[in-house]
Amino acid sequence: DRGRGAATQPPVTNLSVSVENLCTVIWTWDPPEGASPNCTLRYFSHFDNKQDKKIAPETHRSKEVPLNERICLQVGSQCSTSESDNPSILVEKCTPPPEGDPESAVTELRCVWHNLSYMKCTWLPGRNTSPDTNYTLYYWHSSLGKILQCEDIYREGQHIGCSFALTNLKDSSFEQHSVQIVVKDNAGKIRPSFNIVPLTSHVKPDPPHIKRLFFQNGNLYVQWKNPQNFYSRCLSYQVEVNNSQTETSDTFYVEEAKCQNSEFEGNLEGTICFMVPGVLPDTLNTVRIRVRTNKLCYEDDKLWSNWSQAMSIGENTDPTFYVSMLLATPVIVAGAIIVLLLYLKRLKIIIFPPIPDPGKIFKEMFGDQNDDTLHWKKYDIYEKQTKEETDSVVLIENLKRAPQ
Ligand SMILES: *[C@@H]1O[C@H](CO)[C@@H](O)[C@H](O)[C@H]1NC(C)=O
Ligand SMILES: *[C@@H]1O[C@H](CO)[C@@H](O)[C@H](O)[C@H]1NC(C)=O
Ligand SMILES: *[C@@H]1O[C@H](CO)[C@@H](O)[C@H](O)[C@H]1NC(C)=O
Ligand SMILES: *[C@@H]1O[C@H](CO)[C@@H](O)[C@H](O)[C@H]1NC(C)=O
Ligand SMILES: *[C@@H]1O[C@H](CO)[C@@H](O)[C@H](O)[C@H]1NC(C)=O
Ligand SMILES: *[C@@H]1O[C@H](CO)[C@@H](O)[C@H](O)[C@H]1NC(C)=O
């Protein structure tokens, strides 16, 4: 029965759980009582649903967890690092369940790190909350050393928001660093909402600045300055070129911005250059650019910066041209309408000739021989014919009456 004895290790003791910062959850335990002296103790642990299995010699384990739900850790002891070595029975310890009505918790709590210089969080009130709830937001990051409260809570339409400074942390390695966020209320009436924001995502850069547009050898070149705080290789770009004549809008996705001709790069220190193909040089072109983080340096690439200010190149840039166009347009339109009306009137005369006036007909028959005279003569003949027909009908009727 020795083998069976080795398989049934004694369980760990004194397993407990605590929370540090806002939501760093720490589980600790003591070694099992009565373990074999020859046993090299290792601890096997995992979270609910066998997630994140781990075998390690330490008697503690921690995890950053948004404490919106209860989370449990199961721990057992074993005598080797092998996963096939059966651990002792597992002991479980859970975080306390969140307090308060779940319907009272704020929803859609989201945070975006703007320009690597400030973080802005927004949320919607929970369903079961009074409209005069006074919200508070607390945040924590390893570089801050303590929990801080966000100062200015403001409303933004239906959303409530708060921004706090969080500068680029170049010294610390980005990985495994997150900001812990909790939103609750002064009175403690709503259930707190937690969020853990990784600093390798949710980053929205400032817009770039276009410095120069120019044509060379029939190609349009765009030179711009990237937002501060970002390495060029960590950004992707979108260049929009609108042509006012063809009324087209072309969008170019640029992963790596570089002009074939590197001499342009030297002209402006720290600028990025892109050659836009197929642009008509003799027309007005309006260019703007936006940027986003890429997968080389960040975990997501979803948030575009705002558009840069637009810059134009080409003809028709004179604003007085537009002003005079603006003034001239009603005059031209009015003139066009008058011409059109006159034309329509002429057209009407041709399609629907006026009902003949006998006096006019005679005058025209014996007066000037103009083109219309033949026309009027036809009417005259038609009239005569109808008259003759009427006469004959009368005649027949008279004949019919005669025998009676
Ligand atoms: C468990 O905790 C109690 C109280 O702190 C302590 O007396 C006991 O020695 C601990 N057990 C082990 C196995 O360390
Ligand atoms: C521990 O290991 C030693 C040497 O390998 C062996 O002599 C001894 O019997 C072992 N004791 C137990 C309890 O297994
Ligand atoms: C972006 O960050 C830089 C450097 O920290 C700063 O000078 C600039 O003002 C920031 N931009 C905005 C819009 O806050
Ligand atoms: C929120 O604060 C205002 C002013 O301090 C106070 O009048 C109001 O009662 C507070 N609301 C709640 C729900 O405590
Ligand atoms: C981006 O655009 C929005 C909406 O126009 C504006 O409120 C915000 O200040 C802009 N952000 C930057 C960094 O320019
Ligand atoms: C360019 O054209 C697109 C599509 O018509 C339009 O949405 C965009 O606002 C235009 N850009 C500028 C700078 O006017």
Side-chain angles (χ1 to χ4, degrees):
D1 280 353
R2 263 202 169 161
R4 253 179 90 194
T8 51
Q9 276 286 315
V12 300
T13 54
N14 288 349
L15 177 59
S16 67
V17 67
S18 63
V19 177
E20 277 186 13
N21 313 321
L22 287 173
C23 42
T24 309
V25 183
I26 300 168
W27 286 267
T28 57
W29 57 90
D30 287 327
E33 279 171 346
S36 154
N38 284 0
C39 178
T40 338
L41 273 171
R42 292 290 179 273
Y43 301 98
F44 168 84
S45 61
H46 66 71
F47 296 99
D48 311 82
N49 302 321
K50 310 236 153 123
Q51 280 176 54
D52 294 340
K53 288 181 189 170
K54 188 172 172 184
I55 298 168
E58 291 86 29
T59 54
H60 56 86
R61 189 169 175 182
S62 68
K63 187 181 171 77
E64 282 190 308
V65 215
L67 290 168
N68 303 317
E69 290 166 22
R70 182 176 106 115
I71 180 163
C72 303
L73 184 76
Q74 297 197 334
V75 189
S77 66
Q78 58 185 54
C79 284
S80 76
T81 51
S82 159
E83 211 173 324
S84 59
D85 189 358
N86 282 336
S88 69
I89 56 159
L90 301 178
V91 184
E92 184 182 70
K93 192 78 188 178
C94 303
T95 59
E99 282 172 17
D101 178 5
E103 296 283 291
S104 69
V106 304
T107 58
E108 293 184 35
L109 173 56
R110 306 206 198 301
C111 301
V112 170
W113 196 12
H114 289 262
N115 183 35
L116 303 182
S117 60
Y118 67 96
M119 186 165 278
K120 179 176 167 182
C121 298
T122 59
W123 62 87
L124 286 170
R127 263 182 287 175
N128 274 359
T129 35
S130 87
D132 67 345
T133 301
N134 297 310
Y135 295 95
T136 51
L137 183 148
Y138 295 95
Y139 59 99
W140 178 90
H141 179 266
S142 60
S143 70
L144 301 171
K146 58 180 174 184
I147 295 166
L148 294 177
Q149 185 177 351
C150 190
E151 293 299 332
D152 313 305
I153 303 240
Y154 51 85
R155 287 199 167 262
E156 218 178 42
Q158 289 212 305
H159 285 85
I160 299 156
C162 198
S163 301
F164 54 90
L166 187 74
T167 43
N168 192 5
L169 316 147
K170 266 182 180 157
D171 47 338
S172 58
S173 78
F174 263 9
E175 282 158 56
Q176 297 159 7
H177 281 98
S178 321
V179 182
Q180 299 177 1
I181 306 276
V182 65
V183 176
K184 36 184 162 183
D185 68 326
N186 287 344
K189 282 182 184 157
I190 66 166
R191 175 187 280 207
S193 277
F194 293 86
N195 201 350
I196 292 172
V197 188
L199 294 181
T200 49
S201 60
H202 303 77
V203 173
K204 181 174 171 171
D206 266 8
H209 286 281
I210 303 182
K211 290 286 171 191
R212 198 152 76 109
L213 298 178
F214 59 97
F215 277 100
Q216 187 146 57
N217 302 330
N219 292 313
L220 174 62
Y221 288 87
V222 187
Q223 263 183 305
W224 71 86
K225 239 180 154 61
N226 271 338
Q228 282 180 295
N229 307 344
F230 291 89
Y231 296 110
S232 295
R233 65 182 171 86
C234 296
L235 296 174
S236 302
Y237 312 89
Q238 198 177 24
V239 180
E240 182 198 71
V241 182
N242 283 10
N243 187 292
S244 65
Q245 187 179 315
T246 55
E247 288 183 353
T248 50
S249 174
D250 291 312
T251 306
F252 302 88
Y253 290 90
V254 187
E255 287 303 326
E256 200 186 352
K258 239 190 191 130
C259 291
Q260 287 147 343
N261 198 338
S262 59
E263 78 183 59
F264 305 132
E265 317 244 345
N267 290 352
L268 271 164
E269 200 66 23
T271 57
I272 305 290
C273 182
F274 178 65
M275 188 195 85
V276 187
V279 175
L280 296 171
D282 301 328
T283 55
L284 180 68
N285 291 288
T286 305
V287 179
R288 54 179 191 168
I289 305 173
R290 58 181 182 171
V291 302
R292 67 179 177 193
T293 57
N294 66 23
K295 290 266 174 77
L296 278 178
C297 310
Y298 295 90
E299 270 160 30
D300 70 359
D301 53 2
K302 294 186 187 71
L303 289 171
W304 282 108
S305 74
N306 284 3
W307 285 106
S308 70
Q309 286 205 307
M311 194 183 258
S312 296
I313 186 171
E315 280 165 18
N316 300 353
T317 46
D318 186 1
T320 55
F321 174 78
Y322 290 109
V323 173
S324 50
M325 274 304 284
L326 214 66
L327 293 175
T329 305
V331 177
I332 293 168
V333 168
I337 288 170
I338 289 164
V339 168
L340 194 73
L341 285 177
L342 289 174
Y343 178 74
L344 280 178
K345 204 168 175 193
R346 256 189 94 85
L347 213 64
K348 200 178 157 197
I349 290 166
I350 293 164
I351 298 168
F352 309 106
I355 293 150
D357 172 3
K360 204 176 167 193
I361 291 163
F362 276 105
K363 198 181 152 203
E364 273 168 3
M365 272 176 79
F366 302 109
D368 295 334
Q369 288 283 323
N370 62 25
D371 290 348
D372 285 352
T373 321
L374 266 172
H375 200 70
W376 300 134
K377 273 180 185 163
K378 263 191 210 153
Y379 271 90
D380 208 25
I381 290 158
Y382 175 75
E383 250 182 17
K384 271 184 195 156
Q385 273 175 355
T386 39
K387 199 164 179 258
E388 273 166 17
E389 268 169 28
T390 328
D391 286 349
S392 53
V393 171
V394 172
L395 196 72
I396 288 161
E397 271 182 356
N398 285 346
L399 284 171
K400 274 186 183 168
R401 264 189 213 140
Q404 285 177 350

